[in-house]
Amino acid sequence: MFKVNVFAWALLLAISVSVVNAQDGARQRAADGRQPAADGGQPVARADENSRIAHTQLLEKARRGGIDVYFEGDSITRRWGTSDATYREFLDHWTRSFFGWNAANFGWGGDTSQNILWRLTDGELDEVHPKVIVLMAGTNNVGGMPREGVDAAVVENVASGMKAVLDVMQRKAPDATVILMGVTPRTDSRGGASVMPTIDTINERYAQFADGRRIRYLNINPQLARADGAPREGVTVDGLHLSLSGYQVWADALTPIFTELLGPPASTDHAPPPTGDPSASAAPTGDPSAASNRSPTR
């Protein structure tokens, strides 16, 4: 009896600690603006200082103009076209892929759909007038918590947030064609594929937003995912963020669309220089502004 009671007490203590940790984590995400809003269609500002500084930099980038292709999203988008020294090889790939199409990157790491909605409503798309918008978002709403089946509440939260984002984009950039990307494959915190049924259902909802003209849906998951839905070996660096191979899959899917909508890339590029993480301690070697002016290596 004593051993049973000790075991029961230990189990209760472990459950209590897990609940407290989960509650603390939820409170922290809510405090810094990463907790998805109960009403998915409402904008949510990031409260941390680094995100506020980044927003100011992105507002300035938007004001510079010269942007025909506007990339929007979270860290998966951001890392591709950032000036951060850590991701210099991604920036080089970005330049080789999109130079001459005047592409600018407005992704910010950690953003949910509602955080992106807030940045757009607070001016990051004002008077930009892009011809094409590439939008990928939703993975931070899903997170890495293991799940059983489809998380219907998360699906509704993400879908309503994305609908609100699309509405803002069409209002602020009425002449742009929006390329709505499916949420890419990811593993859960245990390295499994338990979140993929939820992501697949979100992507089904995304596909319903497309009309084939002003909004086009593009899903590259068949090229990125294994049979169970999790990322294939080598297409991510950590089970979530894309590697160079993953970005090449994305670029290969976008190139014919850009060529159709914009024509072949020009020999010069007028997009503003890339921005980076304000908290990054190391700057990239060389002048990052040269990324918009040098001729890419083909």
Side-chain angles (χ1 to χ4, degrees), residues 80-150:
W80 204 2
T82 179
S83 60
D84 295 356
T86 302
Y87 306 117
R88 185 56 189 257
E89 63 177 351
F90 292 163
L91 178 61
D92 290 342
H93 183 270
W94 164 278
T95 304
R96 291 194 303 271
S97 300
F98 304 126
F99 185 94
W101 276 315
N102 303 321
N105 193 311
F106 286 79
W108 181 240
D111 266 9
T112 64
S113 301
Q114 292 76 24
N115 299 144
I116 292 171
L117 177 61
W118 183 84
R119 292 194 287 111
L120 293 173
T121 57
D122 202 58
E124 287 187 20
L125 189 53
D126 290 4
E127 302 304 322
V128 177
H129 307 301
K131 298 174 182 176
V132 178
I133 298 174
V134 181
L135 171 62
M136 180 188 287
T139 197
N140 287 316
N141 296 72
V142 176
M145 182 181 70
R147 291 175 169 84
E148 293 288 339
V150 175

Side-chain angles (χ1 to χ4, degrees), residues 112-239:
T112 64
S113 301
Q114 292 76 24
N115 299 144
I116 292 171
L117 177 61
W118 183 84
R119 292 194 287 111
L120 293 173
T121 57
D122 202 58
E124 287 187 20
L125 189 53
D126 290 4
E127 302 304 322
V128 177
H129 307 301
K131 298 174 182 176
V132 178
I133 298 174
V134 181
L135 171 62
M136 180 188 287
T139 197
N140 287 316
N141 296 72
V142 176
M145 182 181 70
R147 291 175 169 84
E148 293 288 339
V150 175
D151 190 329
V154 169
V155 172
E156 290 303 320
N157 179 273
V158 177
S160 58
M162 184 57 73
K163 180 62 168 61
V165 168
L166 291 169
D167 287 346
V168 170
M169 286 181 165
Q170 291 190 307
R171 186 170 69 250
K172 292 183 179 253
D175 297 325
T177 299
V178 179
I179 310 301
L180 174 58
M181 303 298 306
V183 179
T184 51
R186 64 177 296 167
T187 56
D188 60 32
S189 59
R190 297 174 183 166
S194 72
V195 298
M196 289 311 301
T198 298
I199 287 177
D200 290 341
T201 305
I202 289 169
N203 287 342
E204 290 171 4
R205 295 287 296 274
Y206 282 7
Q208 295 173 9
F209 295 145
D211 60 11
R213 298 178 297 104
R214 295 188 64 197
I215 301 175
R216 300 190 187 187
Y217 174 67
L218 180 60
N219 189 342
I220 57 175
N221 290 7
Q223 290 75 45
L224 297 176
R226 304 181 318 220
D228 65 355
R232 291 181 180 177
E233 185 71 25
V235 299
T236 73
V237 296
D238 55 6

Side-chain angles (χ1 to χ4, degrees), residues 250-273:
W250 195 359
D252 288 344
L254 290 174
T255 296
I257 299 174
F258 289 177
T259 302
E260 173 197 345
L261 296 174
L262 303 170
S267 59
T268 59
D269 196 288
H270 304 289

